[in-house]
Amino acid sequence: MLHLCQELTQLVLYNNSLNGSITEGIRSLPKLKKFYIGNNKIAGTIPLSLGNISSLVQLYLGDGHIHGNIPSDLGRLSKLIEFNIEVNYLTGAIPQEIFNISSLQYICLDFNDLSRNLSETARLRFPNLMLLQLQNNQLGGNIAAYLSNSSRLTRLNLEDNLFTGPILTNFGNLQLLQEINVGNNQLTRDPGSPKLHFLTSLTNCRSLENLVVENNQFNGILPNAIGNRTSPLLLFAAPNCQIMGHIPRGIGYFEKLNTLFLANNGLTGTIPSTIGKLQSLQRLHLDGNKIEGIIPNELCLLKKLGKLSFQNNGLSEPIPPCIANISCLQKVLLGSNALNSPIPVNF
């Protein structure tokens, strides 16, 4: 019956209980611009004929039971702005032809079983790309260098994959970037230096709010230039990353930070007094490191702090009594240290 709907421009069927598969007859809709059939029980494969609808602007096939490969024929959709096939059972590589669609603004291929490396062809450009979600796949290789040319990119999520190599320092050129999540990969530091220079480069991202790099293999040192006075960063999560060295005093520049996770690394030295400048901090996790010395009194300036975890370190000397004056505190975890004072009276 689709051949009787030659003038159809929108076919929106999402959020139902539709089953079956997408018919090859979809090619009979030459003027279709929007095809939303996600959040159903659609199975089968993506029909090759979908690539013949040159008018298509928005394609949403997410949250179904679609399997097989992403057809390279979809690379012919030169007007495509939104490409969403998340939460399915897709396998194989992401075709290079997809990365040749310069009009794309939103790419969501997360929660599939896609594998192999991203294309690393240097000439590829995504001048309009704003959102790239590839998390929870089996993608590997280096993070593609051409992503750093996407000047409109605001959100990048590559979490739970098999990416290797360093994080690109060129990401610091992306002035609109608000979120980076590359956690749970096999990323390393740049072999040319023990410092994690990508963190320094990201201080140029004046819109960056969430930075998640947890569970990687950096085996490096936090740089001194880790922040700046205009940083809007709210979340910095880097537990289980083999980070060594001292916590830099520059950590105090993140005055808007509400969550700091640096647990289960190899951090040494003392807790810098500049931690007291983090007036918005709500959760502070430094457990599972090799931090020594005292708990600084400046910690008591963090009036919004709700959870504090310093356990499994080498902290000594008294617990500052003023910690009991932080009215928002709900959890204080200081076990397995060398603390030697009475418990503060008002705890």
Side-chain angles (χ1 to χ4, degrees):
M1 299 294 290
L2 287 176
H3 67 280
L4 301 177
C5 304
Q6 296 289 303
E7 300 301 315
L8 195 67
T9 60
Q10 296 190 28
L11 181 56
V12 179
L13 303 169
Y14 68 92
N15 286 343
N16 283 287
S17 296
L18 300 173
N19 52 38
S21 58
I22 304 170
T23 173
E24 286 284 349
I26 194 72
R27 74 177 74 191
S28 302
L29 304 175
K31 297 183 180 181
L32 193 65
K33 294 183 178 181
K34 183 175 183 177
F35 183 34
Y36 269 39
I37 199 170
N39 285 58
N40 280 290
K41 299 178 181 178
I42 302 298
T45 59
I46 300 172
L48 301 182
S49 59
L50 201 56
N52 294 329
I53 309 176
S54 58
S55 58
L56 206 59
V57 174
Q58 295 173 284
L59 176 61
Y60 175 42
L61 310 178
D63 290 281
H65 300 276
I66 300 172
H67 61 270
N69 296 334
I70 299 174
S72 59
D73 302 65
L74 298 185
R76 298 201 299 268
L77 303 177
S78 60
K79 298 179 182 178
L80 200 62
I81 290 176
E82 178 184 355
F83 182 43
N84 189 328
I85 318 182
E86 63 187 1
V87 195
N88 278 289
Y89 299 93
L90 296 167
T91 57
I94 302 173
Q96 178 173 322
E97 289 80 0
I98 300 298
F99 294 105
N100 287 326
I101 305 175
S102 61
S103 59
L104 276 170
Q105 295 181 17
Y106 309 98
I107 301 177
C108 301
L109 303 176
D110 44 302
F111 290 92
N112 280 285
D113 198 23
L114 298 167
S115 59
R116 305 182 195 173
N117 298 354
L118 294 182
S119 172
E120 295 187 21
T121 304
R123 68 176 182 275
L124 293 177
R125 293 289 184 273
F126 274 124
N128 297 298
L129 189 64
M130 300 171 65
L131 172 71
L132 179 61
Q133 294 186 176
L134 301 178
Q135 69 265 31
N136 292 85
N137 280 287
Q138 300 292 319
L139 298 167
N142 292 339
I143 297 175
Y146 55 78
L147 292 177
S148 63
N149 296 322
S150 302
S151 59
R152 297 184 64 189
L153 191 65
T154 60
R155 299 187 183 279
L156 174 66
N157 196 327
L158 306 178
E159 184 183 18
D160 283 309
N161 277 287
L162 302 171
F163 287 108
T164 57
I167 298 176
L168 302 172
T169 57
N170 289 344
F171 280 153
N173 299 328
L174 303 179
Q175 295 296 304
L176 301 180
L177 200 59
Q178 297 175 20
E179 177 181 332
I180 297 179
N181 189 337
V182 293
N184 298 302
N185 279 283
Q186 299 172 15
L187 297 169
T188 59
R189 61 175 169 83
D190 190 322
S193 171
K195 293 187 176 181
L196 303 179
H197 287 300
F198 74 88
L199 292 173
T200 302
S201 70
L202 291 176
T203 61
N204 296 319
C205 298
R206 301 305 171 90
S207 301
L208 188 62
E209 296 181 347
N210 297 319
L211 175 58
V212 179
V213 297
E214 62 188 359
N215 297 317
N216 279 288
Q217 303 169 9
F218 293 133
N219 193 28
I221 300 171
L222 294 174
N224 292 326
I226 195 175
N228 59 55
R229 297 184 187 278
T230 60
S231 175
L233 198 67
L234 302 176
L235 166 67
F236 179 32
N240 301 298
C241 285
Q242 302 175 26
I243 297 175
M244 304 175 295
H246 295 190
I247 300 172
R249 292 183 57 82
I251 198 75
Y253 285 134
F254 296 126
E255 295 181 358
K256 297 181 180 179
L257 197 68
N258 61 45
T259 302
L260 177 60
F261 283 105
L262 291 174
N264 300 318
N265 282 293
L267 293 168
T268 56
T270 60
I271 300 171
S273 60
T274 52
I275 203 90
K277 295 181 179 181
L278 305 181
Q279 297 291 301
S280 299
L281 202 63
Q282 299 173 24
R283 290 180 290 176
L284 175 59
H285 293 252
L286 300 178
D287 42 297
N289 282 286
K290 301 175 183 178
I291 300 171
E292 299 177 336
I294 65 170
I295 298 175
N297 286 319
E298 286 81 1
L299 196 73
C300 303
L301 299 174
L302 306 180
K303 300 304 182 183
K304 297 181 180 180
L305 196 63
K307 184 173 182 179
L308 170 67
S309 182
F310 288 167
Q311 57 189 353
N312 296 308
N313 277 287
L315 295 169
S316 58
E317 304 301 326
I319 301 172
C322 57
I323 286 182
N325 297 327
I326 305 176
S327 59
C328 292
L329 268 180
Q330 298 177 4
K331 290 186 178 181
V332 178
L333 305 176
L334 301 176
S336 299
N337 280 285
L339 299 167
N340 58 9
S341 69
I343 298 175
V345 175
N346 295 325
F347 255 9

